Amino acid sequence: MIQRDSRIYWQIPSGINLETILKDYPPAFKRKVKIDVFYFILDQITKGVWLTNIEDNRGIIEIHSNKLQSFNHDYKEYIEYLIANNIIATDNHYQIGSKSKGYYFVNLKPNLEETLEEIPVADTLIKDKLVSHFYWEFITKHETKQYSHLTKWFNEDLKIDYQPALKKLDKVFCKARQPKVYSKEEIEEESVKKFKNLIAINNLHKQSFFCSVDFNIGRFHSNLSTLNKKLRPFITYKGKNLVNIDVRNSQPLLSTAILRKEFWTREHSGMNIYRFPSALNLLSGSPVDSYAVKSFSLDHLEELDVVFRDAETVIMSVTFLLEKYSESFSEWIIAAESGKFYESIFKKIHPGESFRKDEVKVAMLKFFFSENKHTSKDKKLIMDAFPEVTKVFERLKQKDHVTLSHILQRLESSLMIEFVSRRIVHDKPDLPFFTIHDSIATFEEEVEYVTTVIEEAFDSLLGIKVELGVEKWSA
């Protein structure tokens, strides 16, 4: 959904032909059919595909029932119709308080150069609801008012070399041309990734820019963060190529902060767990709705002490483990700070074998982010190789397995968005730069400066030595 020239448009995949389907298969609803309700559902799935991490959700987009219910009380009929006519499908799985039902497109076949169809909202009542500021915020979550120093660079000077980018896209996502090599599931999963990047390319080409902030983990999303890294070399600003400075193995590196006792101390002058109310909420078993937590800040520590008192128990037990095993974390920390973490871990769990980066990265993701009870062969190898680190991480994930990933992503976004980017703006207000999670893209002549800013932020706030990678975006 976009707003342009005081009009609001739905954005759905091209090639669906919903009006034709409705004419051929008229819905038998209790009330009058409103086509805009169909478009709203499809628009929300489209937005989810574009903005979420496809590697994590495989294109299955969760939509909270409250959002659907607030838009139309009969939303279930509309969803059932879309499913029955093979337009979308559902995982049909939800958990109260933690997971909403997920929906995904079926048989995606968008036009290459017109990926999205933009359809003006027709229903007057729906249009009036959408133009309401409160409802627009509720539906779109464009929480970027405090980040104008990041959004201002998304302007007419940011461009993509369109046709070469489309050709590269076709080479990167090519499984559909090899049906005998790849399974139907693999081809369908890749088609969603291709669609996601088609949206990003076309929006950049049309200079339809989008920026948002995920209130939960603080990440800044934009046209660039949703674009596959193999397509970023086609990006220029004011006709100049950009250079990307990224934190090497950032998640493992940030995990070393968790293994330092001072991170769990309120008095620590750098970053500590008490700076993240949402993390305290998870540690205490999420007694407060995640939407409500965002209203808390460091100015409300007395209230937080009451609301999150159970978190103190976890913090005490984590501190105990850190004191008990303090001499056992050095190998993990050295590997993470070297910038060659995955090579070091692979060598330890598969001695004498040729390095297989993708394999060890998948195993490490499971080690970090899966439930404690879920094990795989390689995850077990990591657990056995680092038993003390495992004990700390498992304690953090005991009540909710997303706690560890949440803390790591909060650390990343706070460092890069709240500290690094704001220092750059303070020092060099006229320097164009773009944040992409754990990296900063800017002009080549500013690499040394940005490198220094990132290094100093990690050192002063977390006491971490950071290794950075530098990649020139040049096709």
Side-chain angles (χ1 to χ4, degrees), residues 362-378:
V362 169
M364 192 56 63
L365 286 172
K366 292 177 181 177
F367 177 69
F368 277 129
F369 307 138
S370 68
E371 295 182 33
N372 292 340
K373 64 183 179 181
H374 291 163
T375 58
S376 63
K377 182 180 177 181
D378 278 355

Side-chain angles (χ1 to χ4, degrees), residues 1 8-10 34-44 63-76 78-79 121-132 134-136 138-140:
M1 189 187 330
I8 300 175
Y9 297 82
W10 306 116
K34 294 187 175 183
I35 194 169
D36 278 312
V37 179
F38 285 117
Y39 286 138
F40 169 74
I41 295 167
L42 298 176
D43 178 275
Q44 290 297 294
I63 307 178
H64 199 289
S65 58
N66 285 352
K67 181 180 284 188
L68 296 167
Q69 181 79 19
S70 71
F71 192 82
N72 188 281
H73 292 295
D74 300 322
Y75 75 89
K76 290 182 181 179
Y78 288 84
I79 286 177
V121 177
D123 187 279
T124 303
L125 292 177
I126 290 177
K127 194 183 302 182
D128 290 343
K129 178 184 284 190
L130 291 174
V131 296
S132 160
F134 171 79
Y135 198 78
W136 180 260
F138 175 67
I139 293 297
T140 60

Side-chain angles (χ1 to χ4, degrees), residues 247-256 259-260 328-349 355 360 364 368 382 385-386 389 464-468:
V247 178
R248 288 182 173 169
N249 46 253
S250 64
Q251 298 289 301
L253 179 66
L254 290 169
S255 76
T256 66
L259 300 176
R260 290 175 164 86
S328 305
F329 304 135
S330 59
E331 185 178 7
W332 179 275
I333 293 172
I334 290 169
E337 291 189 341
S338 72
K340 296 182 178 180
F341 179 79
Y342 296 109
E343 292 92 328
S344 300
I345 300 304
F346 186 89
K347 187 175 181 180
K348 186 173 180 66
I349 64 176
F355 179 48
V360 72
M364 192 56 63
F368 277 129
I382 297 171
F386 298 95
V389 174
I464 289 176
K465 176 187 174 185
V466 62
E467 284 290 326
L468 301 171

Side-chain angles (χ1 to χ4, degrees), residues 69-125:
Q69 181 79 19
S70 71
F71 192 82
N72 188 281
H73 292 295
D74 300 322
Y75 75 89
K76 290 182 181 179
E77 284 187 317
Y78 288 84
I79 286 177
E80 288 169 1
Y81 180 89
L82 292 171
I83 292 172
N85 285 276
N86 211 33
I87 299 171
I88 67 172
T90 178
D91 63 359
N92 209 32
H93 176 59
Y94 70 93
Q95 290 179 313
I96 296 175
S98 61
K99 185 192 180 305
S100 303
K101 277 189 179 181
Y103 303 94
Y104 56 98
F105 289 115
V106 178
N107 299 321
L108 269 178
K109 294 179 181 177
N111 299 325
L112 191 63
E113 296 188 10
E114 290 294 336
T115 313
L116 294 178
E117 186 178 357
E118 295 183 358
I119 303 165
V121 177
D123 187 279
T124 303
L125 292 177

Side-chain angles (χ1 to χ4, degrees), residues 216-217 219 250-260 263-264 273 276 278-284 286 314 318 322 332 341 363-372 379 382-383 386 388-413:
N216 185 41
I217 58 175
R219 274 188 163 180
S250 64
Q251 298 289 301
L253 179 66
L254 290 169
S255 76
T256 66
I258 294 172
L259 300 176
R260 290 175 164 86
F263 178 74
W264 302 94
I273 190 65
F276 308 112
S278 55
L280 293 173
N281 189 44
L282 286 169
L283 288 172
S284 58
S286 300
V314 181
V318 169
L322 295 180
W332 179 275
F341 179 79
M364 192 56 63
L365 286 172
K366 292 177 181 177
F367 177 69
F368 277 129
F369 307 138
S370 68
E371 295 182 33
N372 292 340
K379 179 182 175 182
I382 297 171
M383 293 168 66
F386 298 95
E388 295 82 11
V389 174
T390 299
K391 284 183 173 68
V392 174
F393 291 172
E394 288 190 340
R395 181 65 185 94
L396 290 174
K397 297 192 291 179
Q398 189 170 316
K399 289 187 177 180
D400 192 328
H401 73 281
V402 305
T403 303
L404 177 58
S405 62
H406 182 91
I407 294 173
L408 295 177
Q409 289 173 334
R410 263 292 171 191
L411 283 170
E412 173 203 276
S413 61

